[in-house]
Amino acid sequence: MSCNGSWVEVDLGQLRRNAAAVQGALGSTKLIAVVKADAYGHGLARTAGALGRFGVKHFAVAYAAEALKVRASAPEAELILVLGVARGGDVARLLADRIMPVVVSMEQARELSAAAVAAGGRLGVHLKLDAGMGRLGFICPDEVGEATAVCALPGLKVEGVCAHFSMVEPERKPAMTRGQADKFLRALPVVEAAAGGRLFRHMSSSRAALLLPECDFDAARAGIVLYGYGAGEEERRFRTQPVMSWKSRVIQVKRAPAGFAVGYYASYQTATPTDLAVVSCGYTDGYQRHLGNRGEVLAGGRRCPVVGRVSMNWITVDLGPDSGVKPGDEVVLMGRQGGEEIWGDELARHCSTIAYEILTGVSRQIERRYVGE
Ligand SMILES: Cc1ncc(COP(=O)(O)O)c(C=O)c1O
């Protein structure tokens, strides 16, 4: 049954090029592909599976349930790391599927330890240090002593140590940026002495991988740059391009006279006679209401303004008087058409948000089509 809806195209060829660009810049440092939030909206199973085929062996997710999907899609993965707080009830599956959680507190460590002992296994974990993010983990330096005590718990094997930057601004805020790296570096010998050897160290996410090569350590956890944002033309260490396009179709075209009111509360009126296209897509799909009277789409190879308010399932677009666009024609909400392009960072600017929220906000109900591999 047709629903005339929009769809997402995920360009796996571009994903492969992006992963190769990031891994190429990192050299011997491992790339940990961050695939949480349904691989930033690209679809977890297919994206992780493709990255696995492209040679990526390290993955990170937020939840244990996501980690199981990665194991099923990328069975050869050497590391699947849960960045959120796994609980005792997860441990049997984590052991069975060779998944490692981070440990963020002594209370969580004791719970995982007890569950691992009960399951008769030894669970590999990474210690999560809070070096300035102010979110999960043992606060540096005050709680580093507590973090070392995790190494002595039965049923756990501390294999890695990590932290997360709250900002990476080596030029605008060098002291804040460097201070966080320094806190991490000062904690390393203390936790590694307790662990009885060198641990797998990682701190950088995309922006640090791009701007702070001195913080590569053993691995970098890259998310947004794999999906093509944050490393555009002006960047030097590596460049990536967007992977996700979002498309729909015109479902009605009408010739409107001058002074014609469009949509709820008549927030737009045509200035001159023009063609209006109704396009199948609305805020229920993740096309944000902020885009009404602000955003543009590509139709007939040209940029056309979204006019009036975005409604639940439809938007209206001003085609101009001579576009030749007709019902059934493809409309690009995000992506390329003709010589034009509109990407998630442009939509994000209109919505006062970041490309991460645009990508992860495209409804999971919308079909993902995988192309280009
Ligand atoms: C702990 C952690 N590491 C890495 C990442 C990846 O960040 P980015 O997408 O900026 O590379 C995230 C993303 O939210 C994160 O929370």
Side-chain angles (χ1 to χ4, degrees), residues 34 36 40 83 128 135 164 204-207 221-225 356:
V34 180
K36 64 197 175 89
Y40 289 42
L83 297 169
K128 176 70 178 264
R135 202 172 63 181
H164 189 50
S204 294
S205 54
S206 291
R207 195 166 159 77
R221 302 182 306 269
I224 199 76
V225 290
Y356 297 70

Side-chain angles (χ1 to χ4, degrees), residues 35 44-53 56-59 67-80 97-98:
V35 291
L44 177 55
R46 295 291 300 268
T47 303
L51 287 166
R53 288 193 299 285
V56 175
K57 297 253 184 301
H58 300 71
F59 294 88
L68 301 183
K69 286 193 190 162
V70 176
R71 175 57 74 208
S73 311
E76 311 291 311
E78 288 168 14
L79 172 68
I80 303 174
D97 280 36
R98 292 173 289 119

